[in-house]
Amino acid sequence: MNIRSFKSGKDRREALGKEVGVSLANIGSFSLDEAIASSRNCENMIGIAQIPMGVAGPLRITNRKQEHDYYLPLATTEGALVASINRGCKAITQSGGATVAVESVGVTRGPVFATSGIIESLNAKKWIDTHVEELGKVAAKTSLHLGLKKLRTRVVGKNVYVRFFFDTQDAMGMNMATIATTSMYRYIEVKTRAKGVSVAGNFDIDKKPAWLNSISGRGKRVWAEVTIPSKVLKKTLKTTAKKVYDVWLAKCMIGSAISGSLGFNAQFANVIAAIFLATGQDMAHVVEGSLGITTCEVLSTPEVKNSSHLGGESEESLYVSIYLPDIMVGTVGGGTGLATQKEALSILGVAGGNEGKNAQKFAEVIGAAVLAGEISLLASLEEGTLAQAHQRLARGKSK
Amino acid sequence: MNIRSFKSGKDRREALGKEVGVSLANIGSFSLDEAIASSRNCENMIGIAQIPMGVAGPLRITNRKQEHDYYLPLATTEGALVASINRGCKAITQSGGATVAVESVGVTRGPVFATSGIIESLNAKKWIDTHVEELGKVAAKTSLHLGLKKLRTRVVGKNVYVRFFFDTQDAMGMNMATIATTSMYRYIEVKTRAKGVSVAGNFDIDKKPAWLNSISGRGKRVWAEVTIPSKVLKKTLKTTAKKVYDVWLAKCMIGSAISGSLGFNAQFANVIAAIFLATGQDMAHVVEGSLGITTCEVLSTPEVKNSSHLGGESEESLYVSIYLPDIMVGTVGGGTGLATQKEALSILGVAGGNEGKNAQKFAEVIGAAVLAGEISLLASLEEGTLAQAHQRLARGKSK
Amino acid sequence: MNIRSFKSGKDRREALGKEVGVSLANIGSFSLDEAIASSRNCENMIGIAQIPMGVAGPLRITNRKQEHDYYLPLATTEGALVASINRGCKAITQSGGATVAVESVGVTRGPVFATSGIIESLNAKKWIDTHVEELGKVAAKTSLHLGLKKLRTRVVGKNVYVRFFFDTQDAMGMNMATIATTSMYRYIEVKTRAKGVSVAGNFDIDKKPAWLNSISGRGKRVWAEVTIPSKVLKKTLKTTAKKVYDVWLAKCMIGSAISGSLGFNAQFANVIAAIFLATGQDMAHVVEGSLGITTCEVLSTPEVKNSSHLGGESEESLYVSIYLPDIMVGTVGGGTGLATQKEALSILGVAGGNEGKNAQKFAEVIGAAVLAGEISLLASLEEGTLAQAHQRLARGKSK
Amino acid sequence: MNIRSFKSGKDRREALGKEVGVSLANIGSFSLDEAIASSRNCENMIGIAQIPMGVAGPLRITNRKQEHDYYLPLATTEGALVASINRGCKAITQSGGATVAVESVGVTRGPVFATSGIIESLNAKKWIDTHVEELGKVAAKTSLHLGLKKLRTRVVGKNVYVRFFFDTQDAMGMNMATIATTSMYRYIEVKTRAKGVSVAGNFDIDKKPAWLNSISGRGKRVWAEVTIPSKVLKKTLKTTAKKVYDVWLAKCMIGSAISGSLGFNAQFANVIAAIFLATGQDMAHVVEGSLGITTCEVLSTPEVKNSSHLGGESEESLYVSIYLPDIMVGTVGGGTGLATQKEALSILGVAGGNEGKNAQKFAEVIGAAVLAGEISLLASLEEGTLAQAHQRLARGKSK
């Protein structure tokens, strides 16, 4: 069967169903515009995958003296996840909201060139390092929505690697970046004696878990934090500051250290995956979203101590922060224009392009959502209710 | 708005739409059974995310002298991905098919305990190390479909970490593993002086990119390989063995080495994400699927050389292999029972439970699919068509 | 000048001095037996390097209810290091001594073989995995002092890697291990279809900083701990438990996490280098000794609290532990038989072979010494005296 | 015994000898100036460690059209090492010499500060990022030989990390850097609301194996390369280009990749350790010298092919390069002023200060020496002579 030869997804689906002897009725039931999806998002289309979408919230973000409550669209097939994030949202909102911050590092793309040896490699590197502006003009010609922010070079023997950083406004921008890089790649070949080997040489480094992205950042760097009072810890999270802290230290710090992990966190990837899926992000970028660090601190509140009948510990509040060095997201382009994805972005009020502001705001919400996920899981690991939650919410799943 | 207080997804969706002032019509259009999905897969459900599903193939797998052609269900919003994988499938099939192999390492879950110091920690470790059978009985009581395969322990000061490996047949099994671990966790607390801190202590290590999983394996280890003759390289992939080899060495090896990457590959994550999404896998496990190594070798075919008019290089064939140390997949449980996901698994002939054989076969297909993705991308990076493909297939995306 | 053509170090030294126009009088002044050193330890010998050796201690180790006070021989050219370790020894001894534990993992050596593809690779792996005893006999024939403990195998495409673990008693044993490995390497070539590529394939992994050694261990794993009372913290270390804890968390945990470090510690390498140098160890193994984790915990002492006039914090004691996963040491062989090195080992009472007990005891002392170094540096970083110490002790150095 | 209470090393040595019942005669025999060594390099001095010093060479370096032959001073106790490096030197020199290049990245030191939360952290970061010149003036006041080159900052929750890069001319400069950092640390405390936690926060990252140093560089970055003709491969190295290439790929690339190594090389640490020890470098910096990448390439020489009676392979030449991202060395300060160490530096013609040129030249020689070590070991691993060399040269060692 030649799967490229069909005129429509319907024809292809039916032929494939016949070929493998399976009804594909559900895959064939959907509302999105097949013509657009099949030309922009997916070749050889046969229909759609349907993923349950839930919502968590309200999640309060308090930034620059403004407060806003968000409802998080989360697409997942993993029972208990939405409920867990929802509990974290509740705890954050009850604590007055999360503080968030975002730095736009830029999407990266990086070619590799070959030379005749070290001296020529270093000459090419020098030329590239000293012609950033000129290269930026070459890049800018490829798109009105892209700018070259900076670049980094690295030489290993006959190989010269470049890491370009681009501002792509509200788009995640990987494709724009590739097109702009290809243009500069040809230009560098003309201007230096280096010969292009590959437009993408893993110094980018795209969709691989890598220390370079942790250290140098990629896409957006995101921070979020909240201080949870003892009351919220007790009532909503059924725990104490000290207990969550102990789980965090043993798990996210020392446990990650003995495992050679690039993620010093509890479950960044779960939250990232659910938001990315609902909002049309590139799911392979979940890999990069799993990088980062959660920190905790127990704060004593001495003024309360004296009047307490419960002993000091239960009066302590808990500071929790998350740091995401590499969040690759967009609110235009890619899957963001598809029907359900656009609606999900609209729930957050960030659908479409807005001079980079929508992507910025979207990253802020992601930061707060990841924070909610960490708080809830760290609390449940301590209270031993993780398995119970799964048993209750996902019963029958593994049968 | 209290999002937990609604009786149905419809009510919740409508209330949310009103709250944020957005129509959620598309999210509300679907065929899956909301009652099941909302009880097993997703709390606070409001509808579904629709992701375009395409198909690539036929992809021939030649194993143990048997040949089988597969069509890969791939859900993605990234234009050019399905086409790229499809080209790799074609090259593999034209080359006689991929050889694949799978080793079932087992899903892992690992608690952390606290003690009074090194001596007590080492005593607890010793007890655990020497009571694997006894612990296996405790674990087995929690499910008919789970068995404890082995365990590893690690001591750091007052912390004792355990990494349990489970056989969970055709299920990915993370929830089963958590339930069994919780049971052994309580048992260890009774039998030793160690006190449980957390049922999951990141020595598991779940959904984080970590060297431990690369080295010790998790879920399934998968290998796949193919030798591509010069004709196929030329006609289907528009390249030569030497050119692909050079891209591979500069990108996947040296490029990954300078980037501190755990993935010595071109794009494992893209292929893993698309298959996982179509078939109802846990999308956060894409993180672990991004680990692994691609290898290449140029094979000269001297007998052909003499009769060649084109010179030696173009007659060389290319050996390509991929190694995936950590593939977490299932054909029952989680999202695999949902309507479109089950159909996707059925396209591969691996839906449902079958004494572990379906998950095994599914992992084999994933291995071959990842191989297809690597071959196609490595070839396109050399020929410089990556950007062109994106421009052609995904035009308008980044506008 | 042909440097291999001289009969003695003296002749070579004088010729070299003339060649480069430099007097090498000090390099020529030494007491060690040149004949032995030049045949066993160093080819083309011209004399010696003289490194100042200091001593720190007493350092009390309290193990299995026995107490022993050690004096640490430390060879270094870095002013302030011996003084810093000495302060740590004092704090430990005043606190009642360090508790230590050692696990002998074994020196590793690992060849790599080539095959025709995955299936043959997995067959070779299977043969190796199931013939450990047989291989052990082959290994045992090469030395009376070596035994094969276990092995691990890994397949990547056409490559089969082995990691042999050897018991080499009191010897560090790298050379013995290489000889035994070479013998098994030839044997495996005969018994399987795998063809040897290299007797050492970096799956060993020798003298490189690698997660495999951190995770799987190499040589000896060492733990050490002590609880330092508030008095000692105050008088000897001029600090408090809380202050040291804060430095540790910010530096050894989070600081290491953002730096992609395999060492979650303050200065393991400094202490390892100084002891290794004094005692004739292989200095390239300092690389592996830099791996590992320091942990801290603040312990409140409530009974003391009430009677305190100083407030709670200053009455807190501090638990500190270190974990070294990869200590490669010996008390026989290599440089341990040289004159000054043997004397240094004798200061610790561990010179020569003793059925593995001397190497075990030596590793224990190293653990306690590293603990002393951590305590002292973490305290000085907090109190801001690091630079002062360097200015005072090493004045003139940077002029 | 109070080891700090003695007036001289002799008194201390004799008292210690008595205390542990051991003669320390050899440790007491040396020519260096105890008064200087005990005040600048080593407290509580009891004498010296004597390490055999050999020499390898001539090693030709061909740079900027100039040729120079060096003799490498190497202090080691590991038999076969000097002989192995010597063989590599011979191969390089016979091949016309190594090409080398050095980039001075600068020694780093990095404090960590605490704030009240993310916003304050980012404010402090911003202040630091925008006051580099002002901070440079503060740093410059602490030494005439130090300049602040640049800085990097990182925020994780309440923690603000800085990585200062210093030019310290011919000194390795760690102490100078610490003193300058302490001064800026106090200054930043005054100018921002951040409170100093530690003058060294592991974002430096000193003497730990870390991806940050691999990626961002530290001290000096060094490259070296040579192309070895088939004749030299055959006669001097007893191998062929293809054989060495295969060892390199299986070991340094794929073997390192499966081991989670930061060193993609054969034995950088061995060579670094021997040179560092001979020349008075800080031996804990061997850790950083073990980082880096070796590359190989087989070059065909077609013009020779036709006239060959031996077949194509043996006429191929081999390109080998090494890349050292993190070499911490000096020619003044630290241990470089001691008698034997100064003589060793004089053998290379780089003793003392010379406006940074001596350290530069020293780093070049280290690069070529490391290249020699790689070539020789990779060749011997292939020919299987590693064990034989050890057996012959180091016989009796492990008895």
Side-chain angles (χ1 to χ4, degrees), chain D residues 59 83-93 237 371-373 375-376:
Chain D
L59 169 60
S84 174
I85 297 172
N86 196 49
R87 189 171 76 141
C89 292
K90 192 174 169 185
I92 290 173
T93 303
L237 299 170
L371 181 65
I375 289 167
S376 185

Side-chain angles (χ1 to χ4, degrees), chain B residues 175-303:
Chain B
N175 291 341
M176 269 194 273
T178 301
I179 293 163
T181 296
T182 304
S183 194
M184 291 186 285
Y185 177 74
R186 299 303 179 206
Y187 192 80
I188 291 167
E189 286 193 315
V190 171
K191 292 291 182 175
T192 73
R193 306 183 67 173
K195 193 188 161 304
V197 175
S198 171
V199 288
N202 274 14
F203 192 54
D204 320 47
I205 176 174
D206 189 40
K207 298 172 180 173
K208 262 81 63 181
W211 274 110
L212 179 57
N213 286 348
S214 282
I215 288 169
S216 130
R218 192 167 191 246
K220 299 196 187 315
R221 283 187 212 266
V222 184
W223 296 265
E225 73 185 357
V226 70
T227 298
I228 311 172
S230 59
K231 266 188 218 167
V232 177
L233 286 164
K234 196 175 165 189
K235 281 192 66 173
T236 303
L237 299 171
K238 319 290 182 205
T239 188
T240 66
K242 182 61 168 54
K243 286 181 182 175
V244 176
Y245 184 88
D246 287 349
V247 173
W248 165 75
L249 186 64
K251 177 187 176 70
C252 298
M253 290 286 114
I254 302 173
S256 291
I258 58 168
S259 304
S261 179
L262 282 71
F264 291 80
N265 59 66
Q267 67 159 343
F268 284 8
N270 273 329
V271 184
I272 295 289
I275 298 184
F276 274 29
L277 188 46
T279 60
Q281 309 304 311
D282 188 334
M283 293 310 291
H285 281 138
V286 172
V287 173
E288 301 178 34
S290 69
L291 305 174
I293 303 173
T294 296
T295 74
C296 284
E297 187 182 346
V298 176
L299 300 169
S300 56
T301 48
E303 69 281 8

Side-chain angles (χ1 to χ4, degrees), chain A residues 308-371:
Chain A
S308 164
H309 295 171
L310 300 164
E313 193 191 345
S314 64
E315 297 306 321
E316 292 167 333
S317 57
L318 179 73
Y319 170 86
V320 187
S321 91
I322 60 97
Y323 167 52
L324 298 159
D326 179 4
I327 293 297
M328 290 283 289
V329 288
T331 61
V332 286
T336 62
L338 292 168
T340 62
Q341 287 79 345
K342 197 167 193 171
E343 286 174 9
L345 286 167
S346 296
I347 292 172
L348 298 172
V350 297
N354 185 20
E355 298 179 333
K357 289 175 200 159
N358 274 353
Q360 165 91 10
K361 194 171 157 193
F362 185 30
E364 289 179 1
V365 175
I366 288 172
V370 166
L371 180 66

Side-chain angles (χ1 to χ4, degrees), chain B residues 130-148:
Chain B
T130 55
H131 290 78
V132 180
E133 207 183 332
E134 192 172 327
L135 288 165
K137 285 177 190 164
V138 173
K141 278 185 197 157
T142 63
S143 169
L144 290 171
H145 301 279
L146 170 144
L148 178 64

Side-chain angles (χ1 to χ4, degrees), chain B residues 32-365:
Chain B
L32 63 74
D33 183 332
E34 184 188 322
I36 293 179
S38 66
S39 72
R40 292 192 187 168
N41 302 99
C42 185
E43 300 77 39
N44 301 342
M45 203 173 150
I46 58 168
I48 58 139
Q50 296 187 8
I51 321 288
M53 193 190 296
V55 67
L59 169 60
R60 185 163 298 166
I61 296 182
T62 314
N63 244 23
R64 294 173 296 271
K65 295 177 184 171
Q66 291 195 329
E67 265 182 28
H68 194 83
D69 284 4
Y70 292 91
Y71 292 91
L72 305 171
L74 301 161
T76 184
T77 61
E78 300 307 306
L81 181 60
V82 176
S84 173
I85 297 172
N86 196 49
R87 187 171 77 140
C89 292
K90 193 174 170 186
I92 290 173
T93 303
Q94 288 174 334
S95 303
T99 301
V100 296
V102 171
E103 178 196 344
S104 198
V105 178
V107 56
T108 62
R109 184 49 103 190
V112 52
F113 300 90
T115 71
S116 65
I118 290 171
I119 303 306
E120 204 171 287
S121 288
L122 290 170
N123 286 342
K125 171 184 159 56
K126 195 179 172 183
W127 188 91
I128 297 166
D129 286 343
T130 55
H131 290 78
V132 180
E133 207 183 332
E134 192 172 327
L135 288 165
K137 285 177 190 164
V138 173
K141 278 185 197 157
T142 63
S143 169
L144 290 171
H145 301 279
L146 170 144
L148 178 64
K149 295 181 72 154
K150 63 178 180 178
L151 61 81
R152 293 287 177 271
T153 47
R154 188 77 73 245
V155 165
V156 180
K158 297 184 174 183
N159 303 286
V160 182
Y161 293 86
V162 190
R163 180 172 167 95
F164 293 117
F165 292 76
F166 299 98
D167 176 356
T168 54
Q169 296 184 1
D170 290 299
M172 176 270 276
M174 202 66 247
N175 291 341
M176 269 194 273
T178 301
I179 293 163
T181 296
T182 304
S183 194
M184 291 186 285
Y185 177 74
R186 299 303 179 206
Y187 192 80
I188 291 167
E189 286 193 315
V190 171
K191 292 291 182 175
T192 73
R193 306 183 67 173
K195 193 188 161 304
V197 175
S198 171
V199 288
N202 274 14
F203 192 54
D204 320 47
I205 176 174
D206 189 40
K207 298 172 180 173
K208 262 81 63 181
W211 274 110
L212 179 57
N213 286 348
S214 282
I215 288 169
S216 130
R218 192 167 191 246
K220 299 196 187 315
R221 283 187 212 266
V222 184
W223 296 265
E225 73 185 357
V226 70
T227 298
I228 311 172
S230 59
K231 266 188 218 167
V232 177
L233 286 164
K234 196 175 165 189
K235 281 192 66 173
T236 303
L237 299 171
K238 319 290 182 205
T239 188
T240 66
K242 182 61 168 54
K243 286 181 182 175
V244 176
Y245 184 88
D246 287 349
V247 173
W248 165 75
L249 186 64
K251 177 187 176 70
C252 298
M253 290 286 114
I254 302 173
S256 291
I258 58 168
S259 304
S261 179
L262 282 71
F264 291 80
N265 59 66
Q267 67 159 343
F268 284 8
N270 273 329
V271 184
I272 295 289
I275 298 184
F276 274 29
L277 188 46
T279 60
Q281 309 304 311
D282 188 334
M283 293 310 291
H285 281 138
V286 172
V287 173
E288 301 178 34
S290 69
L291 305 174
I293 303 173
T294 296
T295 74
C296 284
E297 187 182 346
V298 176
L299 300 169
S300 56
T301 48
E303 69 281 8
V304 183
K305 255 185 188 168
N306 297 327
S307 62
S308 165
H309 296 171
L310 301 163
E313 194 191 345
S314 63
E315 297 306 320
E316 293 166 332
S317 57
L318 178 73
Y319 169 87
V320 187
S321 91
I322 61 97
Y323 168 53
L324 299 158
D326 180 4
I327 293 298
M328 292 282 289
V329 287
T331 61
V332 287
T336 63
L338 292 167
T340 61
Q341 288 80 345
K342 197 167 193 170
E343 287 174 7
L345 286 167
S346 296
I347 291 173
L348 297 171
V350 298
N354 184 21
E355 297 179 333
K357 289 174 200 159
N358 274 353
Q360 166 91 11
K361 196 172 156 192
F362 184 30
E364 289 178 1
V365 176

